[in-house]
Amino acid sequence: MSRLVTVILLFACIIAVSGMGAITLGQRYPLGIMPSGLLKIKNSSGTYYITLVKGDSELIVFDANFRPVTIFDSMRNDGINDIIYRDGKLYCFGFYSGRLIVVDASVHPSKWKKIDEIPTSSRLITGSFIDGKVGILTNEFEFLLLDISKREIIKRQKLPVIALSIAEDSNFFFVSLFHNYNLLTHSHETEKGLLVFDEWGNLVNEANVGKRPSYILLEGERIFLVSYVDENLKVLSKSDLAEITTVQLGRYPNFPVIHDGKIWIALTGED
């Protein structure tokens, strides 16, 4: 089993699906340790796909036909945990260094370069944008609000536990507290698993959303939130966090994606 996991961690696979639904394995590319997802970007040079290789803290870039273009490896000591693309720039969240690293990605990937490194004094997990401000989750149980243009932290809010994911609309940040439930003691560390912050980093709402809420999706006036231990998908009203409905799923649901009006959810405890 460990050898199989190693193969999955080390390679990216290009999979083709025929009109009859048959799945075939195409090319395989060696990447490194812990490749994480594919981020699609468009800039003045074309369309590209980026894989963050967390274990090596580097970015591997493919062109629109999934041919490898370049490896961006100038952040090896930062321990990049996540990346966001916004307005021609990549924002890279350093777990080891505690820096938000800004990369100019507006040109061909061979010419990408670091243009800023903003220190935060915290180990960064992920973040999201509202009007030039980045809401950041840290390993120090924090929600940080960083003004990009001023390069300064506007707000530093302490959280009851470590948060896993963050989503935003034009006015608010929505944060899920994945570690709100202790699996050893079978008790809540905090019952308020969903927090809402305004664009200035003030806590404006919170809700009890079950055990181990993981990833958040926003669609219109609704919030879709996967509960990992309760094994369901909660649909909430964005305006007051009232529950609209709950859909039971299966063992350990995670990693939801919205596509063509449907939500696809991986059941990580089943096959």
Side-chain angles (χ1 to χ4, degrees), residues 6-20:
T6 301
V7 172
I8 292 173
L9 290 178
L10 291 179
F11 290 89
C13 302
I14 308 303
I15 297 174
V17 181
S18 73
M20 298 297 291

Side-chain angles (χ1 to χ4, degrees), residues 13 16 18 23 28 81 88 99 112 125 134 142 158 169 186 213:
C13 302
S18 73
I23 298 176
R28 299 166 68 99
N81 193 70
R99 297 182 295 191
W112 289 1
I125 297 174
V134 188
E142 296 170 317
K158 198 70 176 178
D169 61 13
H186 301 289

